[in-house]
Amino acid sequence: MNTSSIHFQLSFIEPQAHYVEVSMFIEGFSQPYIDLKMPVWTPGSYLIREFSKNVEQVTALSKDGEKLLVSKISKNTWRVYTNGHDFACSYRVYSFERSVRTNFVDDSHAFISPAGTFLYVDGQLSHASTVQVILPPQWSYVSTGLAQTEVGELVYYAEDFDILYDSPLEIGNQDIWHFQAAGIPHEFAMVGQGNYNKDQLTLDIQKIVAEETRIWGSNPNDRYVFITHNYQSAHGGLEHLNSTVLAASRNAYITNIGYNNFLSLVAHEYFHLWNVKRLRPKNLGPFDYEQENYTPLLWIFEGFTAYYDNLITRRCGFRNEVEYLNELVSEFNLVLNRPGHLLQSVGLSSFDTWIKQYRPDENSPNVSISYYNKGAMLACMIDISIIVGTNGEKCLDDVMGAAYERFYLMENRGIEEKEFQALAEEVTGVSLKEIFKAVYEITELDYNAYFNKVGYQFIDQNKLNQTSSLGIKVSHSDGRTTIKAVDRNSSAWEYGLNVDDEIIAVNGNRLDQQGRELDQAMTYSQVGDEVVILVARDGLMMEIPVKLKASEKVSYYIERNPEASEEERRLGDVWLSLG
């Protein structure tokens, strides 16, 4: 019986020049030509990234060494005229973009993002494949969630291309250690220098894994791999089926804030094992790798995860009550200080992620919000509603565990918003209609009313302090003060100050290199005063009189309500695991 196979080899002839060489061996396909395609995006990062732009020198040879015709027929498709013969396709991928979602190769290591590296045979995404890594002599290790075909061999197996594209590889001399968490083997691979403490990290991550496994009821892994890239300054991550890639600041591990933020990042990406990688929106899987995969549900799958990451650090004892509340309230302040919250709902934010979330510009705060922040806000309101409605017997954990069991373990399918809401109300007996309605509205919930029910209050400390504001953000560089953002409906917006205007003087006073005269003018001006701004716009000088309006910025904080009842305080202790 004729069986087909797809095998890749990765080698690194010129890593210092940022290239990975890829050979793809294809056997057992009888058609006269085969179309090889590269994804245009990678799951978990919702942006068309056009990975094919980095592919060079695509050639093909038959098994007998005959050169085959290769024709590029679209931006990400190469047609190989095989006449039914087995063949090898070779190409190079330029890899020099530092992120958790893109290839990076230099003389110290290689990070391989599979969607930007491996071509697939059109129509064969369900086909198994193997990947062999040819290590250059200066490198020693490979860290990946892919299963090895044989112990000690650097050949890895993926049962389909969804798994291959969800399994990044770190190749080099990374610092590797292993530990058990929730009964599952875990590997940690640290890339680059950092002031981390392996023993402390291991203990704290074990607590996170145990708590998250408790929430979901079971852990789906046979093994799990953390890949962390240490930079001078970085923070971010990307989830995968049984691994994650994190970016961290190398010197932040020894500060309380820096270390706790890293633990929140770990908690966030690990939570995705369940929330989005398995319990998922209906439209996110099976994936179409050639175009956008739209869903309005990222407010649940990213926003709920953003709510849980800091909450888990609170439950594990890494943050005290005040530290946690400060982290939580930052989600509210980030959303409510963006004029875009009056224009874009969180449901639309989820749907528009492909054109807005990963392509911010100077006007983004005026027209959009993040489903991470707003989703976390709504998750908090749902959690509080359930705790109050069940007298502290249940919380959002119960909904997440039940959804995972029903929609993934039992039915193995994606979900729609209406059935998630129905399940939540079924499991808890609590109506969540008001909150789910708010997903598609731009009016805000009465957040203080929710917090009051668990003995806290949500207060804007700017409410009684009317201060004047231009409504701009500036940068100081090379002795120049330049406008970088203008808030919708602010004084600057109304009177015509523009992004990229260089502010030369205010009220006839020339700005120094730090722009202190601008700060002084605003400090001593009142609402209704006029200031005259001299700007250089595209090389031309112009004076712009601006009548100052009141600042619309909020500064909320969450604290215990001194008038809370004993029962409200008890429910608050349940919410924050303070008992």
Side-chain angles (χ1 to χ4, degrees):
M1 185 174 82
N2 186 31
T3 59
S4 58
S5 66
I6 300 174
H7 176 69
F8 294 93
Q9 279 186 354
L10 298 181
S11 58
F12 303 89
I13 298 172
E14 295 183 298
Q16 81 288 348
H18 319 299
Y19 280 95
V20 53
E21 283 71 38
V22 186
S23 295
M24 182 180 187
F25 301 90
I26 300 174
E27 297 183 353
F29 293 89
S30 59
Q31 57 261 45
Y33 64 81
I34 286 178
D35 287 343
L36 301 178
K37 291 179 172 288
M38 177 160 280
V40 301
W41 69 288
T42 187
S45 184
Y46 308 103
L47 176 69
I48 300 299
R49 296 187 180 275
E50 309 294 18
F51 291 122
S52 59
K53 69 182 184 293
N54 296 317
V55 177
E56 303 175 11
Q57 303 176 41
V58 181
T59 60
L61 294 175
S62 72
K63 206 168 186 179
D64 297 330
E66 178 187 354
K67 187 174 181 179
L68 303 178
L69 175 63
V70 179
S71 177
K72 192 170 185 182
I73 63 172
S74 75
K75 66 180 181 180
N76 67 320
T77 308
W78 291 263
R79 178 165 290 175
V80 182
Y81 293 88
T82 68
N83 295 318
H85 297 303
D86 298 339
F87 69 99
C89 175
S90 298
Y91 56 96
R92 308 182 84 200
V93 182
Y94 183 69
S95 307
F96 197 55
E97 184 178 350
R98 283 188 174 93
S99 82
V100 296
R101 61 192 69 86
T102 50
N103 284 339
F104 182 86
V105 177
D106 67 8
D107 56 4
S108 67
H109 78 112
F111 172 66
I112 301 301
S113 177
T117 306
F118 299 113
L119 301 175
Y120 67 92
V121 177
D122 189 23
Q124 296 292 328
L125 284 170
S126 62
H127 201 290
S129 64
T130 53
V131 177
Q132 181 180 11
V133 178
I134 310 298
L135 283 177
Q138 68 270 28
W139 296 349
S140 302
Y141 308 115
V142 177
S143 295
T144 180
L146 290 171
Q148 286 183 265
T149 56
E150 292 185 30
V151 176
E153 296 291 328
L154 298 183
V155 180
Y156 303 89
Y157 173 79
E159 64 184 65
D160 57 43
F161 274 76
D162 285 329
I163 290 177
L164 179 62
Y165 289 146
D166 212 12
S167 304
L169 298 95
E170 176 61 37
I171 305 166
N173 298 309
Q174 58 270 26
D175 184 11
I176 297 173
W177 69 95
H178 299 88
F179 57 90
Q180 295 278 324
I184 306 297
H186 287 67
E187 175 182 321
F188 210 103
M190 276 287 193
V191 183
Q193 299 177 4
N195 53 16
Y196 53 90
N197 181 312
K198 293 184 192 179
D199 293 337
Q200 189 62 54
L201 260 179
T202 297
L203 289 173
D204 292 340
I205 292 173
Q206 286 173 327
K207 293 178 183 178
I208 291 170
V209 172
E211 173 60 17
E212 295 191 2
T213 302
R214 184 198 65 79
I215 292 169
W216 293 97
S218 61
N219 195 304
N221 292 313
D222 292 324
R223 59 186 290 268
Y224 188 87
V225 179
F226 291 96
I227 299 170
T228 298
H229 295 140
N230 292 302
Y231 301 108
Q232 184 176 29
S233 179
H235 185 81
L238 187 64
E239 70 276 2
H240 297 283
L241 195 67
N242 66 343
S243 64
T244 187
V245 184
L246 310 174
S249 299
R250 65 174 66 99
N251 294 318
Y253 296 99
I254 59 174
T255 69
N256 184 61
I257 292 175
Y259 185 60
N260 282 338
N261 285 343
F262 181 73
L263 292 178
S264 286
L265 178 62
V266 169
H268 184 104
E269 302 305 336
Y270 203 87
F271 199 82
H272 274 313
L273 278 182
W274 298 271
N275 200 36
V276 90
K277 298 314 300 183
R278 290 168 175 85
L279 177 65
R280 60 174 176 81
K282 182 178 180 180
N283 293 344
L284 288 187
F287 295 118
D288 183 339
Y289 293 100
E290 292 203 83
Q291 62 184 348
E292 297 86 348
N293 291 221
Y294 294 103
T295 176
L297 297 188
L298 294 178
W299 72 275
I300 294 177
F301 291 92
E302 288 291 356
F304 280 33
T305 305
Y307 171 64
Y308 267 104
D309 55 21
N310 287 321
L311 184 61
I312 286 165
T313 65
R314 162 67 214 127
R315 291 180 181 177
C316 292
F318 308 142
R319 285 189 167 99
N320 62 33
E321 176 186 1
V322 172
E323 290 171 332
Y324 170 70
L325 292 175
N326 288 339
E327 293 295 328
L328 176 63
V329 81
S330 69
E331 309 279 12
F332 290 82
N333 285 322
L334 283 169
V335 170
L336 299 178
N337 277 319
R338 289 176 71 100
H341 86 274
L342 299 173
L343 293 181
Q344 187 185 54
S345 70
V346 71
L348 184 57
S349 172
S350 299
F351 193 84
D352 275 350
T353 182
W354 294 93
I355 58 174
K356 292 184 182 290
Q357 176 71 21
Y358 294 95
R359 283 199 177 103
D361 59 27
E362 70 282 351
N363 200 43
S364 293
N366 291 323
V367 298
S368 65
I369 59 172
S370 168
Y371 47 80
Y372 285 86
N373 307 129
K374 187 62 179 286
M377 293 162 60
L378 296 183
C380 180
M381 299 302 99
I382 292 172
D383 199 15
I384 288 174
S385 295
I386 295 171
I387 290 169
V388 172
T390 63
N391 198 31
E393 295 298 318
K394 293 184 178 180
C395 66
L396 186 54
D397 294 8
D398 298 281
V399 175
M400 305 309 287
Y404 177 68
E405 181 176 2
R406 177 178 299 182
F407 298 118
Y408 176 70
L409 293 178
M410 295 176 61
E411 300 178 13
N412 192 23
R413 65 178 178 86
I415 67 169
E416 296 181 355
E417 186 176 280
K418 60 184 179 181
E419 55 188 0
F420 182 84
Q421 178 185 352
L423 176 69
E425 293 179 339
E426 173 191 329
V427 168
T428 65
V430 176
S431 173
L432 302 172
K433 181 179 179 180
E434 179 181 60
I435 301 171
F436 277 83
K437 183 181 178 185
V439 171
Y440 299 99
E441 296 179 343
I442 56 174
T443 54
E444 299 295 334
L445 296 169
D446 183 354
Y447 300 114
N448 192 48
Y450 283 85
F451 283 115
N452 285 169
K453 294 175 182 178
V454 287
Y456 289 86
Q457 51 188 358
F458 181 70
I459 300 172
D460 177 15
Q461 60 188 358
N462 288 351
K463 188 173 185 180
L464 300 178
N465 299 321
Q466 190 179 60
T467 59
S468 61
S469 172
L470 277 172
I472 61 174
K473 291 183 177 66
V474 300
S475 71
H476 307 292
S477 178
D478 297 328
R480 298 181 177 187
T481 298
T482 306
I483 297 175
K484 291 301 180 184
V486 176
D487 287 342
R488 181 181 293 275
N489 297 327
S490 65
S491 303
W493 175 284
E494 184 174 335
Y495 288 91
L497 290 174
N498 289 352
V499 169
D500 293 333
D501 283 352
E502 180 191 351
I503 301 177
I504 306 298
V506 179
N507 293 336
N509 296 308
R510 178 77 165 88
L511 267 61
D512 67 6
Q513 291 189 349
Q514 284 74 44
R516 283 183 282 240
E517 285 73 18
L518 177 61
D519 296 334
Q520 290 170 0
M522 295 309 303
T523 298
Y524 295 108
S525 296
Q526 304 295 318
V527 174
D529 288 352
E530 183 180 89
V531 295
V532 179
I533 313 291
L534 175 65
V535 303
R537 180 179 297 170
D538 191 29
L540 300 177
M541 296 291 186
M542 58 183 67
E543 281 193 340
I544 302 176
V546 178
K547 188 175 182 179
L548 295 176
K549 300 172 69 173
S551 172
E552 296 184 354
K553 297 299 182 185
V554 298
S555 180
Y556 281 98
Y557 62 94
I558 303 170
E559 67 175 9
R560 286 186 176 267
N561 183 0
E563 298 180 0
S565 68
E566 183 177 343
E567 175 62 10
E568 288 167 344
R569 289 194 295 272
R570 183 186 73 83
L571 293 174
D573 290 347
V574 172
W575 171 45
L576 296 186
S577 302
L578 296 171

